[in-house]
Amino acid sequence: MTLLTQPLPTTHVLYLHGFRSSPQSTKARQMAAVMAKQYPHITWWCPHLPPSPKAATALITQGTADWPSRRMAVIGSSLGGFYATWLAMQRGGCKAVLLNPAIDPARDLAKYIGEQTAWHDSAERFYFAPEFVDELRALEVGPLPHPERVWALIAKGDEVLDWREMTARYPDSPQVVMEGGDHAISNFETYLPQVLDFLDLQPDV
């Protein structure tokens, strides 16, 4: 592991939602509100990700192409945490906040092949194709080069993902493992100060 030089304050923040979720998720809206009120000078982007992992990562890559790696951060929830881990590998120096991150979505989402509905709008439907499982597998990465720049918030009460698998995936990264909780991290607001502190967001001057 190579050490980074003096860390720089974050100027760009990306939020990646999870499977069947959207920018309308409670956590995404809470983060968006904080960014708009306290850090309007910092670039904020929370895209609606397409169901294809290949298309989703292409969108992410294109949308952050001109972002400075050492001054950008990504927040990822569930499947978004898997994408955030992939992005942290692509953009070596960027920070990543992982919220109950999916560890092996190729395995876990194989049972969801077919038509799905969005959590926040039951009228919104999409098709999760069989080839998407292979696309997820192609995005798997090994140990991150800068684990100290990854911060994970993990709930033992997650009813979807195994908290032990999550903690084991990021052994050298700072983690907050909460007793109880749920997959959605319904008490996310309680942990917002720690998220903001890790992101090192500076007020406008």
Side-chain angles (χ1 to χ4, degrees):
M1 182 181 73
T2 57
L3 294 176
L4 294 175
T5 54
Q6 188 66 25
L8 300 170
T10 301
T11 56
H12 295 67
V13 178
L14 169 69
Y15 188 99
L16 303 176
H17 63 75
F19 183 67
R20 294 179 62 199
S21 191
S22 76
Q24 294 305 309
S25 78
T26 301
K27 296 189 297 297
R29 287 188 287 108
Q30 287 174 336
M31 275 302 307
V34 168
M35 296 301 295
K37 182 177 181 180
Q38 299 183 32
Y39 307 100
H41 57 290
I42 291 177
T43 299
W44 163 260
W45 186 39
C46 180
H48 194 301
L49 300 175
S52 161
K54 185 176 181 180
T57 51
L59 175 66
I60 294 165
T61 299
Q62 182 179 15
T64 62
D66 62 349
W67 288 19
S69 291
R70 288 192 53 223
R71 299 184 74 117
M72 66 177 275
V74 55
I75 304 169
S77 172
S78 193
L79 179 58
F82 176 78
Y83 290 151
T85 302
W86 168 84
L87 184 62
M89 178 65 83
Q90 304 302 307
R91 306 294 299 270
C94 88
K95 285 187 173 182
V97 170
L98 311 176
L99 310 173
N100 280 341
I103 305 304
D104 191 351
R107 174 198 66 198
D108 298 338
L109 296 182
K111 61 187 174 185
Y112 290 96
I113 291 171
E115 187 174 270
Q116 302 294 330
T117 56
W119 281 115
H120 306 104
D121 182 1
S122 58
E124 181 184 333
R125 296 178 178 273
F126 66 92
Y127 184 72
F128 191 74
E131 58 266 28
F132 293 171
V133 173
D134 292 329
E135 291 179 8
L136 285 169
R137 197 165 285 116
L139 297 172
E140 294 173 357
V141 298
L144 297 174
H146 297 290
E148 76 282 358
R149 292 178 68 77
V150 174
W151 185 88
L153 177 59
I154 297 164
K156 285 187 176 181
D158 190 319
E159 69 280 12
V160 178
L161 302 172
D162 186 341
W163 69 272
R164 299 173 190 82
E165 196 172 44
M166 290 187 271
T167 57
R169 173 65 177 89
Y170 305 95
D172 300 317
S173 298
Q175 303 177 3
V176 172
V177 181
M178 71 177 87
E179 296 293 335
D182 54 17
H183 183 63
I185 309 183
S186 300
N187 59 340
F188 178 63
E189 202 167 12
T190 303
Y191 296 91
L192 258 176
Q194 293 182 61
V195 172
L196 297 174
D197 183 61
F198 178 77
L199 292 178
D200 190 23
L201 303 177
Q202 302 296 318
D204 197 9
V205 292

